[in-house]
Amino acid sequence: MLPGSHRASGLVDDTALVRAMLEVEVAWARVLGTPISLGSWVPVLDPAEVEAAGNPVLPLVSALRAHVSSTVHTGLTSQDVLDSALMLLARDVSQRVSADLERVARALAGLADEHRSSVMAGRTLTQYAVPITFGLKAARWLVGVLDAVAELDAVARALPVQCGGAAGTLSRASSVVDPVAAAAEFARHLGLVWPGMPWHTYRAPVTRLSDALVRACDALGVMAADLLTLGRPEIGEVSEGAVAGRGGSSTMPHKRNPVLSVLVHSAALQAPQLGAQLHLCAARAVDERPDGAWHAEWPALRALMELVVVAASQSAELVEGLEVHADVMARRAGEAAGELLAERGGGSDPGSYLGAAELFVDEVLKRWRDDR
């Protein structure tokens, strides 16, 4: 079980996928001129039937045809339904992740502004470098988050419908509707984009989405890793906010583990491999419909979407509750002044050697305000 999976409840689970596939079938029925109303009906698919079909669409269509008398699915193929359904899930996931990243950005902007002059030791290759401020560090994290939001929002606006029929020609659909006009109408009903032709073996829509999700996790991972280092007892410059029941140990009663930072760091270590899996699948999308590469996408994409939803939510809570110990930062910087000021030849006041740190904070905060 993914720690924090409840934060993604209803977004990418099996029930959410079945609902999305039904939404696709309802939209296509409208295109065919045979609208259907399903109310709250959601079939439970038999895993044995899913296995026998090789994907969940055939069992879904069989259940749908038994439930309604109208014509459904004519002209579509299983990949049309499942790809389009996954894009619907991706849209919801992108909205949730973006909302939580906005929370992270708002909290980081507050920290950058509040601690623009909070002197701390800068560290490079794990060793003391020159003085910086915690505000500058928070501003650096903020840049990564702002970039992630912009990229994810751009991808979300271009999520495409899949509509190609058996081998990407819409041959069956063309016997009952104008195929290109029908595909565009299909996209409008679903709130997706018609890209001009099917993408059964052109998997850039999936890899673009995965890249945006992975980069969001990258940005959050850097922040979490920094916080884990700064929160070590021997450094003690930050702490996660205390929450009753969180961070305890099964054997050591004194511990208050930085659980949120650990879990976000963990997500950042997992996400790239899921993204790589999707690129590998894209490179093996052969013929007119792939023989396994497509099938390998579904679990990887759903796992990645869940992982990033959870990590973004955890990150928002982490940063909003973060405790910054500026006094410890200042004391440690003062104790290490000889090393921190070695570049300029010495001195005793680390705060006198901050260069353009505050100017950089101002630039990032201006971008944050402009992006809102």
Side-chain angles (χ1 to χ4, degrees):
M1 180 182 292
L2 176 67
S5 59
H6 62 282
R7 297 172 185 262
S9 178
L11 279 179
V12 295
D13 57 25
D14 287 349
T15 300
L17 181 58
V18 172
R19 288 184 186 278
M21 290 191 295
L22 284 176
E23 187 177 346
V24 171
E25 291 288 358
V26 168
W28 185 246
R30 291 178 64 187
V31 171
L32 295 177
T34 58
I36 56 177
S37 177
L38 302 179
S40 61
W41 178 76
V42 178
V44 176
L45 305 186
D46 184 340
E49 293 182 6
V50 173
E51 180 186 31
N55 68 70
V57 178
L58 179 55
L60 177 94
V61 172
S62 297
L64 183 57
R65 285 173 172 158
H67 186 73
V68 301
S69 58
S70 303
T71 300
V72 297
H73 194 71
T74 301
L76 292 185
T77 193
S78 296
Q79 189 169 351
D80 295 332
V81 176
L82 191 50
D83 278 352
S84 296
L86 287 169
M87 292 299 101
L88 294 179
L89 296 188
R91 182 179 61 195
D92 294 343
V93 163
S94 298
Q95 290 172 351
R96 176 75 67 82
V97 171
S98 289
D100 281 330
L101 291 180
E102 293 286 0
R103 289 175 56 197
V104 173
R106 184 165 54 251
L108 288 177
L111 290 173
D113 192 30
E114 179 183 356
H115 292 285
R116 60 173 53 247
S117 301
S118 296
V119 179
M120 65 180 296
R123 299 173 175 90
T124 62
L125 282 70
T126 76
Q127 305 299 301
Y128 286 140
V130 297
I132 63 168
T133 68
F134 185 72
L136 178 61
K137 185 173 282 288
R140 288 176 182 149
W141 297 334
L142 177 55
V143 168
V145 172
L146 293 177
D147 284 349
V149 171
E151 184 171 2
L152 188 58
D153 287 351
V155 170
R157 288 193 296 271
L159 291 171
V161 75
Q162 181 71 278
C163 189
T169 63
L170 281 175
S171 51
R172 179 69 178 90
S174 65
S175 66
V176 291
V177 292
D178 177 328
V180 175
E185 183 182 357
F186 185 37
R188 286 194 297 272
H189 287 323
L190 291 172
L192 298 174
V193 173
W194 167 237
M197 67 180 297
W199 43 281
H200 290 157
T201 57
Y202 173 64
R203 309 308 291 171
V206 173
T207 55
R208 278 195 293 263
L209 171 64
S210 70
D211 288 349
L213 292 171
V214 170
R215 277 193 275 270
C217 241
D218 291 346
L220 299 176
V222 168
M223 179 182 72
D226 272 347
L227 292 175
L228 286 169
T229 296
L230 297 178
R232 286 176 174 270
E234 61 270 26
I235 298 178
E237 295 179 352
V238 299
S239 303
E240 285 193 14
V243 175
R246 177 181 292 162
S249 166
S250 62
T251 59
M252 293 172 283
H254 69 282
K255 293 192 76 179
R256 193 181 100 192
N257 293 316
V259 172
L260 294 179
S261 297
V262 167
L263 294 178
V264 174
H265 185 215
S266 169
L269 295 176
Q270 296 174 67
Q273 295 306 315
L274 291 169
Q277 174 69 46
L278 293 166
H279 277 279
L280 178 61
C281 293
R284 292 293 301 155
V286 297
D287 298 326
E288 279 58 61
R289 301 267 306 288
D291 58 346
W294 175 59
H295 305 72
E297 280 183 0
W298 322 330
L301 180 57
R302 291 173 68 192
L304 178 59
M305 289 193 291
E306 180 183 37
L307 189 71
V308 181
V309 167
V310 171
S313 175
Q314 291 167 338
S315 296
E317 186 175 346
L318 167 62
V319 182
E320 288 170 347
L322 189 67
E323 299 173 5
V324 179
H325 308 304
D327 56 333
V328 177
M329 293 176 179
R331 184 177 71 247
R332 192 172 303 284
E335 292 168 350
E339 295 169 82
L340 294 174
L341 298 173
E343 181 184 66
R344 77 168 185 188
S348 59
D349 179 14
S352 65
Y353 195 60
L354 295 173
E358 288 204 37
L359 295 176
F360 293 149
V361 170
D362 287 337
E363 286 298 310
V364 176
L365 291 178
K366 180 180 183 300
R367 177 186 168 186
W368 173 69
R369 287 190 294 268
D370 291 345
D371 285 354
R372 295 178 70 186

